[in-house]
């Protein structure tokens, strides 16, 4: 996969589909590489007439790692926040949103549909709020408004996320750890078979295993706080997708996100947890492609006129 210089960093990305088609940028979540956007998912979006760009966030995958920054302990960050202390991570979600815009600049993409999952949804929200002229539409998947009063993750899901990652010397141990996380947060209505899950986690390990980036990305989320005021001023067509059975970011977070964004559409998917399981791909692709098409038609009166004749 190619790598391009963005904001003084190297960002790994994948670009498929007709370059003349409307672009759609896919932003992945905490500690998760761009390959978590499944190939079938990306290919299906391209088949719907979209130029599909996915990329590794900073500190994960094949993008630049902030190795000069000290490691961050997730538990310590939570304790400090609960004690009312301010944290100053090496970067925050606004910086990561800037990476998205920088990538668009380097790829000569003037405007794009911006899709984010989990932490990626938070980044996508910031992109849409701070750079509305660069955004065709927004899709926020299994994400949150950041309101501190929202329900918290289920204990078993939070425990799985907070457990210390094994070092990279033992592939089997790291793979088992990753599978344990996916089983705790995955979709009960769309379960992933063990062999498929093992292959997915193993592929991520082989591509890039970097536990140190997890804490810094987590600190970026916590330091960024609530986006409620920002969301209330959003003016781009927005679709909020959330699993009814999400144990990590409860469905109330999706409902609250949609309630803050004027004119947004909320779709709650029964059986969906906090992953993009194979069985969910057709559902998600259809919802996203339909939303993008409607947003493009809304912004192009000539298309609307042609359809009405």
């Amino acid at each position: 996969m190619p790598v391009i210089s963005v904001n003084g960093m190297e960002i790994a990305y994948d670009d498929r589909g007709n370059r003349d088609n409307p672009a759609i940028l896919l932003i992945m979540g905490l500690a998760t590489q761009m390959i978590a956007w499944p190939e079938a998912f990306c290919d299906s979006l391209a088949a719907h007439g979209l130029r599909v760009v996915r990329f590794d966030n900073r500190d994960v995958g094949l993008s630049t790692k902030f190795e000069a920054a000290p490691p961050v302990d997730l538990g310590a960050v939570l304790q400090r926040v609960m004690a009312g202390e301010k944290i100053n991570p090496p970067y925050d979600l606004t910086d990561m949103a800037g990476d998205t815009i920088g990538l668009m600049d380097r790829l000569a993409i003037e405007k794009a549909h911006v899709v984010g999952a989990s932490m990626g949804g938070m980044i996508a929200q910031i992109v849409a709020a701070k750079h509305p002229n660069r955004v065709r539409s927004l899709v926020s998947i299994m994400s949150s408004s950041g309101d501190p009063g929202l329900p918290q993750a289920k204990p078993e899901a939070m425990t799985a996320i907070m457990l210390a990652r094994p070092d990279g010397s033992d592939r089997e141990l790291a793979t088992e750890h990753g599978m344990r996380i996916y089983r705790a947060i995955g979709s009960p209505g769309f379960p992933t078979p063990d062999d498929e899950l093992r292959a997915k986690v193993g592929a991520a390990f082989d591509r890039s295993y970097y536990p140190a980036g997890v804490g810094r990305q987590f600190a970026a989320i916590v330091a960024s706080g609530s986006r409620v005021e920002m969301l209330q001023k959003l003016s781009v067509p927005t679709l909020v997708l959330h699993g009814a059975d999400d144990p990590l970011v409860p469905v109330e977070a999706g409902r609250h996100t949609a309630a803050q964004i004027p004119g947004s559409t909320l779709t709650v998917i029964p059986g969906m947890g906090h992953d993009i399981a194979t069985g969910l791909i057709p559902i998600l692709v259809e919802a996203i492609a339909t939303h993008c098409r409607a947003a493009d038609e809304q912004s192009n009166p000539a298309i609307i006129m042609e359809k009405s004749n």
Side-chain angles (χ1 to χ4, degrees):
M1 291 180 178
V3 173
I4 197 166
S5 180
V6 175
N7 297 335
M9 300 175 299
E10 297 299 301
I11 297 293
Y13 72 98
D14 176 48
D15 189 352
R16 69 185 69 192
N18 190 321
R19 300 297 186 272
D20 294 328
N21 287 344
I24 182 168
L25 265 69
L26 308 178
I27 312 174
M28 193 30 81
L30 173 68
T32 309
Q33 301 176 55
M34 66 176 170
I35 57 174
W37 297 108
E39 291 290 322
F41 178 88
C42 297
D43 287 340
S44 294
L45 286 174
H48 276 276
L50 294 163
R51 174 187 179 183
V52 184
V53 178
R54 57 178 178 167
F55 63 98
D56 286 326
N57 288 310
R58 57 171 71 190
D59 246 349
V60 75
L62 303 182
S63 290
T64 292
K65 314 296 194 303
F66 279 60
E67 295 176 341
V72 175
D73 180 81
L74 275 69
V77 167
L78 278 180
Q79 288 179 355
R80 289 179 60 187
V81 170
M82 291 172 66
E85 298 180 28
K86 184 177 180 180
I87 61 172
N88 295 293
Y91 54 83
D92 60 18
L93 297 184
T94 297
D95 296 318
M96 298 178 81
D99 298 341
T100 304
I101 295 297
L103 179 62
M104 291 175 63
D105 290 341
R106 291 305 311 276
L107 297 180
I109 297 173
E110 181 181 354
K111 296 184 73 172
H113 300 285
V114 182
V115 179
S118 197
M119 179 188 76
M122 304 172 193
I123 296 169
Q125 292 167 17
I126 295 171
V127 171
K130 292 186 175 294
H131 306 275
N133 61 317
R134 305 296 301 274
V135 178
R136 291 174 177 268
S137 75
L138 167 66
V139 182
S140 180
I141 307 173
M142 53 190 177
S143 194
S144 172
S145 65
D147 189 297
L150 288 168
Q152 300 301 302
K154 291 185 178 179
E156 58 270 25
M158 183 56 75
T159 298
I161 291 294
M162 299 299 290
L163 283 175
R165 267 73 173 166
D167 65 37
S169 63
D170 190 327
R171 183 183 189 276
E172 181 60 25
L173 188 64
T175 299
E176 287 292 342
H177 179 90
M179 292 177 69
R180 190 178 307 119
I181 292 175
Y182 273 106
R183 289 192 189 105
I185 68 174
S187 299
F190 302 86
T192 301
D194 277 356
D195 57 346
E196 181 183 337
L197 186 57
R198 180 174 293 277
K200 178 164 66 173
V201 175
F205 178 92
D206 294 339
R207 184 172 183 267
S208 176
Y209 182 70
Y210 189 64
V214 181
R216 291 192 287 267
Q217 288 189 350
F218 183 78
I221 294 172
V222 174
S224 297
S226 172
R227 288 172 299 284
V228 168
E229 186 175 345
M230 188 182 295
L231 295 177
Q232 291 172 346
K233 298 176 182 177
L234 272 185
S235 58
V236 302
T238 300
L239 171 65
V240 177
L241 297 171
H242 215 104
D245 301 290
D246 191 329
L248 186 63
V249 182
V251 66
E252 289 82 1
R255 292 194 175 106
H256 190 263
T257 299
Q260 309 313 305
I261 302 173
S264 67
T265 299
L266 169 67
T267 299
V268 175
I269 303 172
M272 178 178 173
H274 201 80
D275 66 346
I276 301 179
T278 300
L280 283 165
I281 290 175
I283 299 170
L284 296 174
V285 167
E286 184 60 32
I288 293 168
T290 299
H291 168 73
C292 293
R293 190 179 306 114
D296 285 338
E297 290 176 354
Q298 180 181 343
S299 66
N300 189 341
I303 295 177
I304 298 174
M305 188 179 301
E306 180 181 333
K307 283 186 172 292
S308 64
N309 289 338

